[in-house]
Amino acid sequence: MPRRQGYALLIALVAGTAALAAGVAFAGSLLFSGSGNRSKQIAAPDQRSVARTPAAPAHSTGLWLGTWAAAPTAGVTDTYRGIDLTRRTIRNVVHTSIGGDAARITLSNLFGTHPLVIDHVTVNTRPVTFRGADAVTVPAGGQIVSDPVLVPVAADADLVVTLRTPTAEGPVTIHPGTHQTSYVEDERGTRPTTDWRYLTAVDVHNETATGTIAVIGDSLTAGTGSTLDTNSRWPDVLADRLGGRYGVVNAGIAGNRILRDGHGVRASARFDRDVLDVAGVKTVVVALGINDVQQFPQETDPQRIADALRSLTQRAHARGLRVVGATLMPYEGFHTWTPARNAVRERVNELIRAGRVFDSVIDFDEAARDPYRPTRLLPAYDCGDHLHLNDTGYRRLGSLVDLAALRHGQPVSDQL
């Protein structure tokens, strides 16, 4: 896959050095030249704590589109070997799907119980401002969108967003288990981490892409079982195939369910925040339900799972969005598997395939199962725990998505 192995550590160290030296602030909006003599102004976004701006900015010929996102999962007391690391510099390394000529970021204090103070932010060493100020305070439970920053963002590339937090109040809002190496620095040095802290979205100003695909799922979407720093999650593979026509953002949370809270807020409750409010979203992909089947307490009624999935589709339709959904893959051999739970999974798949849950269906189950033992994953795709896939398996899922089905248009709400 192109540029999958980014030089993340080198980028992060360069970004950190430049971030400490940089002090230039951008105020309000950015003005830059387009083709010919015409100029285009990127308007500053709405800064309310719940703000996202999916529409094109005023006086701009391009769109703000999501190129990357992560669903905030939990609030943690952030320590390392007993040392409080809240007062430090964080270098979140993220991987873009599409590029642009300017960027803006979203910072979240969703799980914090105190105001979050961040006194310096950069995107690939370029200073970021918030209503023209270098520092920002994000209220407990809130989020905030930055001013636009004039920085070239490449597609399918690592991007470093550096944050400096001067205070030691928490909890810290994180997305854990990212399968991507980021870095935390304090006076004792720099250490790697696989958590993203506070950063939940990167949008780009793009004049050629059509929109963004928002994918919501569980560990199978988040990439559990994939190789660190290779960006082998199936939504990454999908982004490669789209070739810059659409951005792809991944709102997968390992262990996430539709009907119950657990690992992260249940999908039905976070759907607006993590999917419908994504900048430029045109199509939604839903890959959920297996944790409702297999996690304790298990959901024994397949109709309830299908109805919850259909409800997500109806909510997306209310925004004029198309919804593509996936069947549930087999998992015999995993410690929670039983014949009764497998029967629930198979019935959910029957309801999905019947065509009254989503606008279009991706049959992950058919693609990933062993044809000689269809209650198990194909061994070539199994990461070893019989539930999650390896890089080959995720490549298969990403290649399976029908790109024509992702094209936004009139949702078939009359059928659902």
Side-chain angles (χ1 to χ4, degrees), residues 203-241:
D203 305 330
V204 292
H205 183 260
N206 184 297
E207 297 190 0
T208 59
T210 303
T212 293
I213 310 295
V215 183
I216 186 168
D218 46 42
S219 57
L220 293 159
T221 295
T224 298
S226 66
T227 303
L228 181 70
D229 292 330
T230 61
N231 299 293
S232 298
R233 314 164 194 87
W234 71 261
D236 295 317
V237 178
L238 174 61
D240 288 344
R241 293 180 60 214

Side-chain angles (χ1 to χ4, degrees), residues 28-340:
S29 61
L30 300 173
L31 187 66
F32 58 107
S33 298
S35 57
N37 295 321
R38 187 176 61 179
S39 294
K40 297 163 289 182
Q41 187 176 23
I42 303 181
D46 185 347
Q47 294 293 326
R48 292 171 297 176
S49 63
V50 295
R52 296 308 304 282
T53 313
H59 312 300
S60 170
T61 60
L63 295 172
W64 283 109
L65 304 175
T67 187
W68 172 90
T73 303
V76 299
T77 300
D78 207 359
T79 61
Y80 178 63
R81 295 178 181 174
I83 301 167
D84 185 356
L85 290 174
T86 310
R87 297 184 180 93
R88 75 281 204 231
T89 297
I90 300 160
R91 298 190 190 113
N92 290 303
V93 179
V94 305
H95 198 80
T96 63
S97 54
I98 57 171
D101 50 23
R104 68 185 186 194
I105 64 171
T106 301
L107 302 179
S108 174
N109 192 24
L110 178 64
F111 297 103
T113 56
H114 299 83
L116 167 65
V117 178
I118 298 177
D119 67 358
H120 191 75
V121 184
T122 63
V123 173
N124 277 2
T125 77
R126 299 288 181 90
V128 178
T129 61
F130 300 83
R131 289 186 174 177
D134 294 331
V136 65
T137 299
V138 187
Q143 67 178 32
I144 195 162
V145 183
S146 75
D147 299 332
V149 55
L150 187 58
V151 58
V153 177
D156 189 23
D158 285 349
L159 185 82
V160 181
V161 179
T162 301
L163 317 171
R164 189 171 63 197
T165 58
T167 59
E169 295 176 308
V172 178
T173 295
I174 67 166
H175 180 99
T178 64
H179 313 289
Q180 184 101 38
T181 304
S182 294
Y183 301 89
V184 175
E185 179 185 337
D186 67 1
E187 67 275 10
R188 296 168 180 84
T190 300
R191 68 177 180 92
T193 177
T194 55
D195 297 341
W196 287 312
R197 291 163 167 82
Y198 302 123
L199 180 70
T200 59
V202 178
D203 305 330
V204 292
H205 183 260
N206 184 297
E207 297 190 0
T208 59
T210 303
T212 293
I213 310 295
V215 183
I216 186 168
D218 46 42
S219 57
L220 293 159
T221 295
T224 298
S226 66
T227 303
L228 181 70
D229 292 330
T230 61
N231 299 293
S232 298
R233 314 164 194 87
W234 71 261
D236 295 317
V237 178
L238 174 61
D240 288 344
R241 293 180 60 214
L242 287 165
R245 287 170 287 172
Y246 287 85
V248 177
V249 301
N250 186 337
I253 294 178
N256 203 221
R257 303 174 65 153
I258 308 169
L259 294 168
R260 291 178 182 268
D261 293 340
H263 295 273
V265 178
R266 64 191 182 278
S268 58
R270 67 184 181 93
F271 191 59
D272 282 29
R273 182 194 69 210
D274 293 343
V275 175
L276 300 184
D277 290 343
V278 165
V281 62
K282 299 296 184 182
T283 302
V284 177
V285 181
V286 179
L288 286 161
I290 195 63
N291 289 323
D292 294 82
V293 172
Q294 65 90 14
Q295 284 184 359
F296 180 82
Q298 290 83 15
E299 177 54 61
T300 60
D301 184 354
Q303 190 66 55
R304 288 195 74 229
I305 297 173
D307 288 347
L309 293 170
R310 183 183 297 109
S311 176
L312 298 185
T313 299
Q314 292 168 341
R315 288 162 64 183
H317 284 176
R319 300 279 190 99
L321 306 178
R322 184 173 180 81
V323 181
V324 179
T327 54
L328 312 187
M329 290 182 286
Y331 69 103
E332 185 182 356
F334 193 68
H335 66 90
T336 61
W337 189 90
T338 68

